[in-house]
């Protein structure tokens, strides 16, 4: 497990603990069961329709995918892998938000606040679209470029021989297939 993954998971766990220990506005209980019930019925995480359904930010994922001409299930798989749907995710390397954009990449994509879910999703979808275009629509190569950089993909003539990148590509494609209801 990479340090970035550990850092992201730690942030997710800290957010979950904070949610569980904060008093719920609609319920007097601060128990785990009360916090879980509140989290599951929160309007901000209500399921939407389409490939982004059944997760937080489903409508935003569908919108970002549609406006950038990419498969919403692929974007959903990427977001799941990158941040676990945590809009405040931060990696040890400095990547931020749902799509874990590096500050320089975010700025080049017009993203002024990578922690804003809508901006992060639009920026991540736009960057993924750029990689799909660069690598002839090949999802494996585009995802490898998203993770390791397009230079590494070009240098190796395919998915780089980095275990983190190879696992990343496999995981995102598997999640996307699951979101589509197909077998990876």
């Amino acid at each position: 497990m990479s340090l970035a993954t550990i850092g992201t998971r730690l942030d997710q766990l800290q957010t979950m603990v904070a949610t569980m220990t904060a008093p719920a506005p609609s319920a007097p209980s601060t128990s785990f069961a009360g916090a879980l019930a509140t989290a599951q019925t929160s309007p901000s995480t209500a399921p939407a329709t389409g490939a982004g359904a059944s997760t937080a930010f489903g409508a935003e994922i569908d919108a970002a995918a549609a406006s950038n001409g990419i498969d919403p299930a692929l974007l959903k798989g990427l977001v799941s892998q990158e941040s676990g749907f945590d809009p405040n995710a931060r990696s040890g390397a400095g990547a931020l938000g749902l799509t874990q954009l590096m500050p320089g990449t975010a700025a080049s994509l017009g993203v002024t606040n990578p922690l804003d879910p809508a901006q992060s999703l639009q920026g991540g979808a736009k960057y993924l679209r750029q990689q799909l275009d660069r690598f002839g629509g090949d999802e494996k190569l585009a995802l490898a470029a998203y993770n390791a950089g397009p230079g590494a993909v070009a240098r190796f003539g395919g998915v780089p021989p980095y275990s983190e990148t190879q696992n990343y590509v496999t995981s995102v494609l598997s999640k996307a297939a699951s979101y589509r209801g197909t077998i990876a």
Side-chain angles (χ1 to χ4, degrees), residues 128-142:
L128 182 57
R129 173 81 263 158
Q130 290 173 354
Q131 302 317 308
L132 285 163
D133 291 345
R134 178 175 287 172
F135 295 104
D138 187 315
E139 290 181 348
K140 286 182 183 181
L141 297 182

Side-chain angles (χ1 to χ4, degrees), residues 77-169:
L78 182 144
V79 171
S80 175
Q81 183 67 31
E82 288 287 352
S83 66
F85 301 99
D86 177 3
N88 298 310
R90 297 172 186 263
S91 77
L96 300 167
L98 288 170
T99 57
Q100 289 292 280
L101 295 172
M102 292 297 287
T105 302
S108 75
L109 296 166
V111 174
T112 58
N113 179 3
L115 296 176
D116 174 347
Q119 285 191 48
S120 181
L121 291 168
Q122 282 294 336
K126 183 176 182 178
Y127 188 65
L128 182 57
R129 173 81 263 158
Q130 290 173 354
Q131 302 317 308
L132 285 163
D133 291 345
R134 178 175 287 172
F135 295 104
D138 187 315
E139 290 181 348
K140 286 182 183 181
L141 297 182
L143 290 169
Y146 195 102
N147 179 261
V153 174
R155 194 167 40 256
F156 288 101
V159 177
Y162 313 141
S163 61
E164 179 183 337
T165 300
Q166 292 174 350
N167 292 336
Y168 174 88
V169 169

